[in-house]
Amino acid sequence: DTAVSQTPKYLVTQMGNDKSIKCEQNLGHDTMYWYKQDSKKFLKIMFSYNNKELIINETVPNRFSPKSPDKAHLNLHINSLELGDSAVYFCASSHGTVLNTEAFFGQGTRLTVV
Amino acid sequence: RKEVEQDPGPFNVPEGATVAFNCTYSNSASQSFFWYRQDCRKEPKLLMSVYSSGNEDGRFTAQLNRASQYISLLIRDSKLSDSATYLCVVILAGGTSYGKLTFGQGTILTVHP
């Protein structure tokens, strides 16, 4: 069974469109994250949710809206897509309040905005 | 100054070589330290945690120097399969950090025959 699964794996869309990426984890973790990996391969946190509550919002444009319907799911909706949004988006989960806890990542969603 | 800095490399080494990666972090309140590995077009995966006393896992040795805010990873007897990007990762404790992983930019390793 896949521990953290995100869909779709690839997403190609035009500028101005709205799209969503879904993420689910079956590890029983209380904390989920969205990370963005840009063309220089740098991984940067976007959002973190703990028990469905938004904990971290790293100055991400408000075109990006995360939603956590329950502890096991964290979806990312993006409005009015721009060329600069092209990147790989990784969902992850962990026991957020435990030190030295391992984070598990989904396989990534490669978003290309044309 | 970046929160976590690594030498991006790339490091190109022959099989059997020993290679060392370094990482520095800026926030002295950082509490948890890791090395993750990311293969090309794949997700990051935990390689090993890093403890103050230093720790070893087979051919891999990790060291932490809190006074210098410095982390290292040593790979002995490199294998072709070690080729990947190695990511230094730091977590702040407490508050609203909630396990937020802060990544270095990664060090690319290529092991050749």
Side-chain angles (χ1 to χ4, degrees), chain A residues 9-10 31 33 35 37 40-45 48 50 55-56 58 90 94-97 99-108 110, chain B residues 2-4 31-34 36 38 41-46 49-51 87 91-94 96-106:
Chain A
K9 192 170 180 182
Y10 299 97
T31 306
Y33 314 83
Y35 280 84
Q37 188 167 42
K40 294 182 180 176
K41 309 298 183 189
F42 186 58
L43 270 158
K44 189 169 168 54
I45 192 165
S48 169
N50 177 265
I55 299 299
I56 296 171
E58 290 280 312
F90 285 101
S94 74
H95 288 298
T97 54
L99 286 180
N100 290 319
T101 183
E102 178 179 358
F104 290 83
F105 286 78
Q107 79 272 37
R110 190 170 295 273
Chain B
K2 288 180 182 166
E3 292 176 288
V4 181
Q31 288 294 323
S32 301
F33 310 91
F34 308 89
Y36 275 68
Q38 187 173 23
R41 301 179 76 87
K42 297 285 189 181
E43 72 273 22
K45 291 183 178 177
L46 179 67
S49 300
V50 187
Y51 302 114
L87 300 160
I91 296 180
L92 286 172
T96 58
S97 293
Y98 278 94
K100 168 190 160 184
L101 284 74
T102 299
F103 286 83
Q105 69 268 51

Short mmCIF file of all heavy atoms in Angstrom, two decimals, chain A residues 9-10 31 33 35 37 40-45 48 50 55-56 58 90 94-97 99-108 110, chain B residues 2-4 31-34 36 38 41-46 49-51 87 91-94 96-106:
data_model
loop_
_atom_site.label_atom_id
_atom_site.label_comp_id
_atom_site.label_asym_id
_atom_site.label_seq_id
_atom_site.Cartn_x
_atom_site.Cartn_y
_atom_site.Cartn_z
N LYS A 9 -0.20 12.71 -11.11
CA LYS A 9 1.25 12.71 -11.13
C LYS A 9 1.78 13.78 -12.07
O LYS A 9 2.83 14.38 -11.82
CB LYS A 9 1.76 11.34 -11.55
CG LYS A 9 3.25 11.15 -11.32
CD LYS A 9 3.66 9.70 -11.54
CE LYS A 9 5.15 9.55 -11.29
NZ LYS A 9 5.61 8.17 -11.53
N TYR A 10 1.07 14.00 -13.15
CA TYR A 10 1.45 15.03 -14.11
C TYR A 10 0.23 15.91 -14.38
O TYR A 10 -0.90 15.42 -14.46
CB TYR A 10 1.93 14.43 -15.44
CG TYR A 10 3.15 13.56 -15.31
CD1 TYR A 10 3.03 12.18 -15.21
CD2 TYR A 10 4.41 14.12 -15.29
CE1 TYR A 10 4.15 11.38 -15.08
CE2 TYR A 10 5.55 13.33 -15.16
CZ TYR A 10 5.40 11.96 -15.06
OH TYR A 10 6.52 11.17 -14.93
N THR A 31 -0.02 15.33 10.98
CA THR A 31 0.44 16.54 10.31
C THR A 31 0.72 16.26 8.84
O THR A 31 1.34 15.26 8.50
CB THR A 31 1.72 17.08 10.99
OG1 THR A 31 1.46 17.24 12.40
CG2 THR A 31 2.11 18.43 10.41
N TYR A 33 1.72 18.25 4.90
CA TYR A 33 2.43 19.40 4.35
C TYR A 33 2.30 19.43 2.83
O TYR A 33 2.14 18.40 2.18
CB TYR A 33 3.93 19.31 4.64
CG TYR A 33 4.32 18.93 6.05
CD1 TYR A 33 4.35 17.59 6.44
CD2 TYR A 33 4.67 19.90 6.99
CE1 TYR A 33 4.71 17.23 7.73
CE2 TYR A 33 5.03 19.54 8.27
CZ TYR A 33 5.06 18.20 8.64
OH TYR A 33 5.42 17.85 9.91
N TYR A 35 4.89 20.90 -0.13
CA TYR A 35 6.18 21.48 -0.48
C TYR A 35 6.21 21.74 -1.98
O TYR A 35 5.63 21.00 -2.75
CB TYR A 35 7.33 20.52 -0.14
CG TYR A 35 7.72 20.52 1.32
CD1 TYR A 35 7.02 19.75 2.25
CD2 TYR A 35 8.77 21.31 1.78
CE1 TYR A 35 7.37 19.76 3.58
CE2 TYR A 35 9.13 21.32 3.11
CZ TYR A 35 8.42 20.55 4.01
OH TYR A 35 8.77 20.57 5.33
N GLN A 37 8.93 22.18 -5.18
CA GLN A 37 10.32 22.04 -5.62
C GLN A 37 10.46 22.74 -6.96
O GLN A 37 9.86 22.32 -7.95
CB GLN A 37 10.73 20.57 -5.73
CG GLN A 37 12.22 20.39 -6.00
CD GLN A 37 12.68 18.97 -5.79
OE1 GLN A 37 12.01 18.02 -6.18
NE2 GLN A 37 13.84 18.80 -5.15
N LYS A 40 15.32 24.73 -9.72
CA LYS A 40 16.65 24.56 -9.15
C LYS A 40 16.67 23.45 -8.10
O LYS A 40 17.65 23.29 -7.37
CB LYS A 40 17.13 25.87 -8.52
CG LYS A 40 17.36 26.96 -9.55
CD LYS A 40 17.88 28.23 -8.92
CE LYS A 40 18.10 29.29 -10.00
NZ LYS A 40 18.51 30.58 -9.42
N LYS A 41 15.57 22.72 -8.01
CA LYS A 41 15.44 21.55 -7.13
C LYS A 41 15.37 21.91 -5.65
O LYS A 41 15.53 21.02 -4.81
CB LYS A 41 16.60 20.55 -7.35
CG LYS A 41 16.82 20.18 -8.79
CD LYS A 41 15.61 19.50 -9.37
CE LYS A 41 15.86 19.05 -10.81
NZ LYS A 41 14.61 18.58 -11.45
N PHE A 42 15.14 23.19 -5.34
CA PHE A 42 15.06 23.59 -3.94
C PHE A 42 13.67 23.31 -3.41
O PHE A 42 12.67 23.74 -4.01
CB PHE A 42 15.41 25.07 -3.81
CG PHE A 42 15.51 25.55 -2.40
CD1 PHE A 42 16.39 24.97 -1.51
CD2 PHE A 42 14.71 26.59 -1.95
CE1 PHE A 42 16.48 25.41 -0.20
CE2 PHE A 42 14.80 27.03 -0.65
CZ PHE A 42 15.69 26.44 0.24
N LEU A 43 13.59 22.58 -2.30
CA LEU A 43 12.31 22.22 -1.68
C LEU A 43 11.94 23.25 -0.63
O LEU A 43 12.67 23.46 0.33
CB LEU A 43 12.44 20.85 -1.01
CG LEU A 43 12.11 19.64 -1.85
CD1 LEU A 43 12.76 18.41 -1.28
CD2 LEU A 43 10.59 19.44 -1.92
N LYS A 44 10.74 23.84 -0.79
CA LYS A 44 10.33 24.87 0.15
C LYS A 44 8.92 24.59 0.64
O LYS A 44 8.04 24.28 -0.17
CB LYS A 44 10.39 26.23 -0.54
CG LYS A 44 10.19 27.42 0.40
CD LYS A 44 10.51 28.71 -0.29
CE LYS A 44 10.04 29.91 0.54
NZ LYS A 44 10.56 29.89 1.92
N ILE A 45 8.72 24.71 1.93
CA ILE A 45 7.41 24.42 2.48
C ILE A 45 6.42 25.51 2.06
O ILE A 45 6.77 26.69 1.97
CB ILE A 45 7.45 24.29 4.02
CG1 ILE A 45 6.13 23.71 4.52
CG2 ILE A 45 7.79 25.61 4.68
CD1 ILE A 45 6.16 23.21 5.93
N SER A 48 1.33 23.76 6.19
CA SER A 48 1.31 22.61 7.08
C SER A 48 -0.01 22.61 7.83
O SER A 48 -0.49 23.66 8.26
CB SER A 48 2.47 22.69 8.07
OG SER A 48 2.32 21.73 9.09
N ASN A 50 -2.08 20.53 10.98
CA ASN A 50 -2.05 19.57 12.08
C ASN A 50 -3.48 19.31 12.52
O ASN A 50 -4.18 20.25 12.91
CB ASN A 50 -1.20 20.12 13.24
CG ASN A 50 -1.21 19.19 14.43
OD1 ASN A 50 -2.00 19.35 15.35
ND2 ASN A 50 -0.33 18.22 14.42
N ILE A 55 -1.43 25.33 10.24
CA ILE A 55 -0.39 25.70 11.20
C ILE A 55 0.65 26.61 10.57
O ILE A 55 1.11 27.56 11.17
CB ILE A 55 0.30 24.42 11.74
CG1 ILE A 55 -0.71 23.52 12.45
CG2 ILE A 55 1.45 24.78 12.67
CD1 ILE A 55 -1.38 24.16 13.63
N ILE A 56 1.06 26.26 9.36
CA ILE A 56 2.10 27.04 8.68
C ILE A 56 1.58 27.49 7.33
O ILE A 56 1.04 26.70 6.56
CB ILE A 56 3.38 26.18 8.47
CG1 ILE A 56 3.99 25.79 9.82
CG2 ILE A 56 4.40 26.93 7.63
CD1 ILE A 56 5.13 24.78 9.70
N GLU A 58 3.48 29.70 4.50
CA GLU A 58 4.75 30.40 4.25
C GLU A 58 4.61 31.43 3.14
O GLU A 58 5.13 31.25 2.05
CB GLU A 58 5.83 29.37 3.90
CG GLU A 58 6.25 28.50 5.06
CD GLU A 58 7.22 29.19 6.01
OE1 GLU A 58 8.20 29.77 5.53
OE2 GLU A 58 6.98 29.14 7.22
N PHE A 90 5.07 18.46 -3.78
CA PHE A 90 5.12 17.25 -2.97
C PHE A 90 4.23 17.41 -1.75
O PHE A 90 4.32 18.41 -1.02
CB PHE A 90 6.54 16.96 -2.49
CG PHE A 90 7.46 16.42 -3.54
CD1 PHE A 90 8.38 17.25 -4.15
CD2 PHE A 90 7.43 15.08 -3.90
CE1 PHE A 90 9.25 16.76 -5.12
CE2 PHE A 90 8.28 14.58 -4.86
CZ PHE A 90 9.20 15.42 -5.49
N SER A 94 3.71 13.49 8.63
CA SER A 94 4.57 13.04 9.74
C SER A 94 3.79 13.12 11.04
O SER A 94 2.66 13.64 11.07
CB SER A 94 5.82 13.90 9.84
OG SER A 94 5.52 15.17 10.38
N HIS A 95 4.39 12.61 12.11
CA HIS A 95 3.89 12.90 13.46
C HIS A 95 4.51 14.25 13.83
O HIS A 95 5.61 14.31 14.37
CB HIS A 95 4.33 11.82 14.44
CG HIS A 95 3.63 10.52 14.25
ND1 HIS A 95 2.27 10.39 14.40
CD2 HIS A 95 4.09 9.30 13.91
CE1 HIS A 95 1.93 9.13 14.17
NE2 HIS A 95 3.01 8.45 13.86
N GLY A 96 3.82 15.32 13.55
CA GLY A 96 4.43 16.66 13.57
C GLY A 96 4.99 17.11 14.89
O GLY A 96 5.92 17.90 14.93
N THR A 97 4.44 16.60 15.98
CA THR A 97 4.89 17.11 17.28
C THR A 97 5.96 16.23 17.90
O THR A 97 6.39 16.49 19.02
CB THR A 97 3.70 17.21 18.24
OG1 THR A 97 3.05 15.93 18.30
CG2 THR A 97 2.70 18.24 17.75
N LEU A 99 9.74 14.88 18.03
CA LEU A 99 11.08 15.18 17.55
C LEU A 99 11.65 13.98 16.81
O LEU A 99 11.31 12.84 17.10
CB LEU A 99 12.00 15.53 18.71
CG LEU A 99 11.78 16.91 19.34
CD1 LEU A 99 12.77 17.11 20.48
CD2 LEU A 99 11.91 18.01 18.31
N ASN A 100 12.50 14.27 15.87
CA ASN A 100 13.17 13.22 15.08
C ASN A 100 12.20 12.34 14.31
O ASN A 100 12.50 11.20 14.00
CB ASN A 100 14.06 12.33 15.97
CG ASN A 100 15.27 13.09 16.47
OD1 ASN A 100 15.89 13.84 15.73
ND2 ASN A 100 15.59 12.91 17.72
N THR A 101 11.03 12.89 14.03
CA THR A 101 10.06 12.09 13.29
C THR A 101 10.38 12.12 11.80
O THR A 101 10.79 13.13 11.25
CB THR A 101 8.65 12.64 13.55
OG1 THR A 101 7.70 11.81 12.88
CG2 THR A 101 8.48 14.05 13.02
N GLU A 102 10.18 10.99 11.16
CA GLU A 102 10.42 10.89 9.73
C GLU A 102 9.22 11.44 8.98
O GLU A 102 8.07 11.17 9.33
CB GLU A 102 10.65 9.44 9.34
CG GLU A 102 10.86 9.21 7.85
CD GLU A 102 11.11 7.76 7.51
OE1 GLU A 102 11.17 6.93 8.45
OE2 GLU A 102 11.25 7.45 6.31
N ALA A 103 9.48 12.18 7.94
CA ALA A 103 8.41 12.65 7.05
C ALA A 103 8.38 11.76 5.82
O ALA A 103 9.42 11.39 5.27
CB ALA A 103 8.64 14.10 6.65
N PHE A 104 7.18 11.39 5.42
CA PHE A 104 6.99 10.56 4.23
C PHE A 104 6.39 11.43 3.13
O PHE A 104 5.43 12.17 3.38
CB PHE A 104 6.06 9.39 4.55
CG PHE A 104 6.68 8.37 5.47
CD1 PHE A 104 6.68 8.57 6.84
CD2 PHE A 104 7.27 7.22 4.96
CE1 PHE A 104 7.26 7.65 7.70
CE2 PHE A 104 7.84 6.29 5.82
CZ PHE A 104 7.84 6.51 7.18
N PHE A 105 6.94 11.30 1.94
CA PHE A 105 6.52 12.14 0.83
C PHE A 105 5.74 11.33 -0.20
O PHE A 105 6.01 10.14 -0.40
CB PHE A 105 7.74 12.76 0.13
CG PHE A 105 8.37 13.86 0.93
CD1 PHE A 105 9.20 13.59 2.00
CD2 PHE A 105 8.14 15.19 0.59
CE1 PHE A 105 9.77 14.62 2.75
CE2 PHE A 105 8.72 16.22 1.32
CZ PHE A 105 9.53 15.94 2.39
N GLY A 106 4.79 12.00 -0.83
CA GLY A 106 4.16 11.43 -2.00
C GLY A 106 5.12 11.48 -3.18
O GLY A 106 6.21 12.06 -3.09
N GLN A 107 4.70 10.91 -4.31
CA GLN A 107 5.60 10.80 -5.45
C GLN A 107 5.73 12.10 -6.23
O GLN A 107 6.53 12.20 -7.15
CB GLN A 107 5.17 9.65 -6.39
CG GLN A 107 4.01 10.00 -7.31
CD GLN A 107 2.66 9.73 -6.70
OE1 GLN A 107 2.43 9.93 -5.52
NE2 GLN A 107 1.73 9.29 -7.53
N GLY A 108 4.95 13.11 -5.84
CA GLY A 108 5.06 14.42 -6.47
C GLY A 108 4.07 14.60 -7.61
O GLY A 108 3.65 13.64 -8.27
N ARG A 110 3.93 16.86 -11.02
CA ARG A 110 4.72 17.75 -11.89
C ARG A 110 3.75 18.65 -12.64
O ARG A 110 3.07 18.20 -13.56
CB ARG A 110 5.57 16.93 -12.85
CG ARG A 110 6.60 17.72 -13.63
CD ARG A 110 7.55 16.77 -14.37
NE ARG A 110 8.34 15.99 -13.42
CZ ARG A 110 9.49 16.37 -12.90
NH1 ARG A 110 10.02 17.53 -13.24
NH2 ARG A 110 10.15 15.58 -12.06
N LYS B 2 20.71 31.77 3.98
CA LYS B 2 19.76 30.68 3.93
C LYS B 2 19.76 29.95 5.26
O LYS B 2 20.76 29.86 5.96
CB LYS B 2 20.15 29.71 2.81
CG LYS B 2 19.89 30.26 1.42
CD LYS B 2 20.28 29.26 0.35
CE LYS B 2 20.05 29.87 -1.01
NZ LYS B 2 20.70 29.09 -2.07
N GLU B 3 18.57 29.38 5.59
CA GLU B 3 18.45 28.67 6.86
C GLU B 3 19.33 27.42 6.89
O GLU B 3 19.88 27.07 7.94
CB GLU B 3 17.00 28.30 7.10
CG GLU B 3 16.10 29.51 7.36
CD GLU B 3 14.65 29.12 7.49
OE1 GLU B 3 14.03 28.76 6.47
OE2 GLU B 3 14.13 29.17 8.62
N VAL B 4 19.42 26.75 5.78
CA VAL B 4 20.23 25.53 5.68
C VAL B 4 21.04 25.62 4.39
O VAL B 4 20.45 25.82 3.32
CB VAL B 4 19.36 24.26 5.66
CG1 VAL B 4 20.23 23.02 5.59
CG2 VAL B 4 18.46 24.21 6.89
N GLN B 31 16.44 21.60 16.39
CA GLN B 31 16.51 20.48 17.32
C GLN B 31 16.69 19.12 16.66
O GLN B 31 17.22 18.21 17.26
CB GLN B 31 15.23 20.45 18.17
CG GLN B 31 15.15 21.57 19.18
CD GLN B 31 16.20 21.44 20.26
OE1 GLN B 31 16.54 20.34 20.70
NE2 GLN B 31 16.75 22.57 20.69
N SER B 32 16.21 18.98 15.47
CA SER B 32 16.28 17.68 14.81
C SER B 32 16.96 17.84 13.47
O SER B 32 16.73 18.83 12.77
CB SER B 32 14.87 17.10 14.60
OG SER B 32 14.21 16.94 15.83
N PHE B 33 17.76 16.83 13.14
CA PHE B 33 18.61 16.94 11.95
C PHE B 33 18.58 15.61 11.19
O PHE B 33 18.57 14.55 11.81
CB PHE B 33 20.05 17.27 12.37
CG PHE B 33 20.13 18.43 13.31
CD1 PHE B 33 20.09 18.24 14.67
CD2 PHE B 33 20.22 19.73 12.82
CE1 PHE B 33 20.14 19.31 15.55
CE2 PHE B 33 20.28 20.81 13.69
CZ PHE B 33 20.23 20.60 15.05
N PHE B 34 18.57 15.72 9.87
CA PHE B 34 18.43 14.52 9.06
C PHE B 34 19.22 14.68 7.77
O PHE B 34 19.49 15.79 7.31
CB PHE B 34 16.95 14.31 8.65
CG PHE B 34 15.98 14.33 9.79
CD1 PHE B 34 15.42 15.53 10.19
CD2 PHE B 34 15.61 13.17 10.43
CE1 PHE B 34 14.51 15.57 11.23
CE2 PHE B 34 14.70 13.20 11.47
CZ PHE B 34 14.15 14.41 11.87
N TYR B 36 18.27 13.35 3.98
CA TYR B 36 17.33 12.71 3.07
C TYR B 36 18.04 12.49 1.75
O TYR B 36 18.99 13.20 1.40
CB TYR B 36 16.09 13.58 2.84
CG TYR B 36 15.00 13.43 3.89
CD1 TYR B 36 15.20 13.87 5.18
CD2 TYR B 36 13.78 12.83 3.58
CE1 TYR B 36 14.22 13.73 6.16
CE2 TYR B 36 12.79 12.69 4.54
CZ TYR B 36 13.02 13.14 5.82
OH TYR B 36 12.03 13.00 6.77
N GLN B 38 17.27 12.01 -2.46
CA GLN B 38 16.28 12.14 -3.52
C GLN B 38 16.88 11.64 -4.83
O GLN B 38 17.86 12.22 -5.33
CB GLN B 38 15.80 13.60 -3.68
CG GLN B 38 14.65 13.74 -4.66
CD GLN B 38 14.06 15.14 -4.71
OE1 GLN B 38 14.71 16.12 -4.36
NE2 GLN B 38 12.81 15.25 -5.15
N ARG B 41 13.83 12.56 -10.26
CA ARG B 41 12.40 12.53 -10.54
C ARG B 41 11.61 11.67 -9.54
O ARG B 41 10.55 11.14 -9.86
CB ARG B 41 12.13 12.07 -11.96
CG ARG B 41 12.79 12.96 -13.01
CD ARG B 41 12.53 12.47 -14.41
NE ARG B 41 11.18 12.78 -14.87
CZ ARG B 41 10.83 13.91 -15.46
NH1 ARG B 41 11.71 14.87 -15.65
NH2 ARG B 41 9.58 14.11 -15.85
N LYS B 42 12.16 11.56 -8.34
CA LYS B 42 11.48 10.81 -7.29
C LYS B 42 11.30 11.71 -6.07
O LYS B 42 11.79 12.83 -6.02
CB LYS B 42 12.31 9.59 -6.87
CG LYS B 42 12.51 8.58 -7.99
CD LYS B 42 11.25 7.80 -8.24
CE LYS B 42 11.52 6.65 -9.19
NZ LYS B 42 10.29 5.88 -9.47
N GLU B 43 10.57 11.20 -5.08
CA GLU B 43 10.36 11.96 -3.86
C GLU B 43 11.54 11.80 -2.91
O GLU B 43 12.25 10.79 -2.94
CB GLU B 43 9.06 11.52 -3.17
CG GLU B 43 9.10 10.15 -2.50
CD GLU B 43 8.75 9.02 -3.45
OE1 GLU B 43 8.87 9.20 -4.68
OE2 GLU B 43 8.36 7.95 -2.93
N PRO B 44 11.75 12.76 -1.99
CA PRO B 44 12.78 12.60 -0.97
C PRO B 44 12.42 11.46 -0.02
O PRO B 44 11.25 11.26 0.32
CB PRO B 44 12.76 13.95 -0.22
CG PRO B 44 12.02 14.88 -1.10
CD PRO B 44 11.05 14.05 -1.89
N LYS B 45 13.46 10.75 0.43
CA LYS B 45 13.26 9.69 1.41
C LYS B 45 14.32 9.81 2.49
O LYS B 45 15.47 10.18 2.20
CB LYS B 45 13.34 8.31 0.75
CG LYS B 45 12.19 8.01 -0.18
CD LYS B 45 12.28 6.61 -0.74
CE LYS B 45 11.08 6.35 -1.64
NZ LYS B 45 11.15 5.01 -2.27
N LEU B 46 13.93 9.49 3.71
CA LEU B 46 14.87 9.58 4.82
C LEU B 46 16.04 8.62 4.63
O LEU B 46 15.84 7.43 4.40
CB LEU B 46 14.16 9.28 6.14
CG LEU B 46 15.04 9.32 7.39
CD1 LEU B 46 15.52 10.74 7.66
CD2 LEU B 46 14.30 8.76 8.60
N SER B 49 18.74 9.84 10.46
CA SER B 49 18.71 10.95 11.39
C SER B 49 20.13 11.24 11.84
O SER B 49 21.02 10.39 11.69
CB SER B 49 17.86 10.60 12.61
OG SER B 49 16.53 10.30 12.22
N VAL B 50 20.36 12.41 12.39
CA VAL B 50 21.69 12.80 12.84
C VAL B 50 21.60 13.15 14.32
O VAL B 50 20.81 14.02 14.71
CB VAL B 50 22.23 14.02 12.06
CG1 VAL B 50 23.68 14.30 12.45
CG2 VAL B 50 22.10 13.82 10.57
N TYR B 51 22.42 12.48 15.12
CA TYR B 51 22.39 12.69 16.56
C TYR B 51 23.69 13.34 17.02
O TYR B 51 24.73 13.24 16.36
CB TYR B 51 22.18 11.36 17.28
CG TYR B 51 20.92 10.65 16.86
CD1 TYR B 51 20.97 9.44 16.17
CD2 TYR B 51 19.67 11.21 17.13
CE1 TYR B 51 19.81 8.80 15.78
CE2 TYR B 51 18.51 10.58 16.72
CZ TYR B 51 18.58 9.38 16.05
OH TYR B 51 17.43 8.75 15.65
N LEU B 87 20.06 15.58 0.70
CA LEU B 87 19.42 16.78 1.24
C LEU B 87 19.63 16.86 2.75
O LEU B 87 19.29 15.92 3.48
CB LEU B 87 17.91 16.75 0.95
CG LEU B 87 17.53 16.70 -0.53
CD1 LEU B 87 16.11 16.17 -0.70
CD2 LEU B 87 17.65 18.08 -1.14
N ILE B 91 14.88 20.61 11.60
CA ILE B 91 13.56 20.92 12.16
C ILE B 91 13.75 21.75 13.42
O ILE B 91 14.55 21.40 14.30
CB ILE B 91 12.77 19.65 12.52
CG1 ILE B 91 12.47 18.84 11.26
CG2 ILE B 91 11.47 20.00 13.23
CD1 ILE B 91 11.69 17.56 11.54
N LEU B 92 13.00 22.86 13.51
CA LEU B 92 12.94 23.63 14.74
C LEU B 92 11.99 22.92 15.70
O LEU B 92 11.03 22.30 15.28
CB LEU B 92 12.40 25.04 14.48
CG LEU B 92 13.34 26.01 13.80
CD1 LEU B 92 12.60 27.28 13.43
CD2 LEU B 92 14.51 26.34 14.70
N ALA B 93 12.25 23.03 16.95
CA ALA B 93 11.37 22.38 17.94
C ALA B 93 10.35 23.37 18.45
O ALA B 93 10.59 24.56 18.49
CB ALA B 93 12.19 21.84 19.09
N GLY B 94 9.22 22.81 18.85
CA GLY B 94 8.25 23.58 19.60
C GLY B 94 7.51 24.62 18.79
O GLY B 94 7.64 24.71 17.57
N THR B 96 4.99 26.61 16.70
CA THR B 96 4.14 26.16 15.59
C THR B 96 4.94 25.46 14.51
O THR B 96 4.49 25.32 13.40
CB THR B 96 3.39 27.36 14.99
OG1 THR B 96 4.36 28.31 14.55
CG2 THR B 96 2.46 28.00 15.99
N SER B 97 6.15 25.03 14.85
CA SER B 97 6.97 24.37 13.82
C SER B 97 6.32 23.10 13.35
O SER B 97 6.39 22.76 12.17
CB SER B 97 8.36 24.07 14.37
OG SER B 97 9.07 25.25 14.61
N TYR B 98 5.74 22.33 14.28
CA TYR B 98 5.03 21.11 13.94
C TYR B 98 5.76 20.28 12.90
O TYR B 98 5.20 19.90 11.89
CB TYR B 98 3.60 21.43 13.48
CG TYR B 98 2.68 21.63 14.65
CD1 TYR B 98 2.44 22.89 15.14
CD2 TYR B 98 2.09 20.54 15.26
CE1 TYR B 98 1.62 23.07 16.24
CE2 TYR B 98 1.27 20.71 16.37
CZ TYR B 98 1.03 21.98 16.84
OH TYR B 98 0.22 22.16 17.91
N GLY B 99 7.02 20.04 13.16
CA GLY B 99 7.74 19.14 12.27
C GLY B 99 8.06 19.72 10.92
O GLY B 99 8.38 18.99 10.00
N LYS B 100 8.01 21.04 10.80
CA LYS B 100 8.33 21.66 9.51
C LYS B 100 9.79 21.36 9.14
O LYS B 100 10.70 21.71 9.87
CB LYS B 100 8.14 23.17 9.61
CG LYS B 100 8.71 23.96 8.45
CD LYS B 100 8.68 25.44 8.76
CE LYS B 100 9.64 26.23 7.89
NZ LYS B 100 9.69 27.65 8.27
N LEU B 101 9.97 20.67 8.02
CA LEU B 101 11.31 20.36 7.54
C LEU B 101 11.83 21.52 6.72
O LEU B 101 11.17 21.96 5.78
CB LEU B 101 11.28 19.11 6.65
CG LEU B 101 11.15 17.75 7.33
CD1 LEU B 101 9.75 17.53 7.84
CD2 LEU B 101 11.54 16.65 6.37
N THR B 102 13.02 22.00 7.08
CA THR B 102 13.68 23.02 6.27
C THR B 102 14.84 22.35 5.55
O THR B 102 15.72 21.75 6.20
CB THR B 102 14.18 24.17 7.15
OG1 THR B 102 13.05 24.76 7.80
CG2 THR B 102 14.87 25.23 6.31
N PHE B 103 14.82 22.44 4.23
CA PHE B 103 15.78 21.72 3.39
C PHE B 103 16.93 22.62 2.95
O PHE B 103 16.73 23.80 2.66
CB PHE B 103 15.09 21.20 2.13
CG PHE B 103 14.19 20.02 2.34
CD1 PHE B 103 12.89 20.20 2.77
CD2 PHE B 103 14.64 18.73 2.09
CE1 PHE B 103 12.05 19.11 2.96
CE2 PHE B 103 13.81 17.64 2.28
CZ PHE B 103 12.52 17.84 2.72
N GLY B 104 18.12 22.02 2.85
CA GLY B 104 19.18 22.64 2.10
C GLY B 104 18.90 22.44 0.61
O GLY B 104 17.96 21.72 0.23
N GLN B 105 19.72 23.05 -0.22
CA GLN B 105 19.47 22.97 -1.67
C GLN B 105 19.89 21.64 -2.26
O GLN B 105 19.63 21.37 -3.43
CB GLN B 105 20.15 24.13 -2.41
CG GLN B 105 21.67 24.08 -2.42
CD GLN B 105 22.27 24.85 -1.26
OE1 GLN B 105 21.90 24.66 -0.10
NE2 GLN B 105 23.22 25.72 -1.55
N GLY B 106 20.53 20.79 -1.46
CA GLY B 106 20.89 19.47 -1.94
C GLY B 106 22.28 19.42 -2.53
O GLY B 106 22.76 20.40 -3.11
#
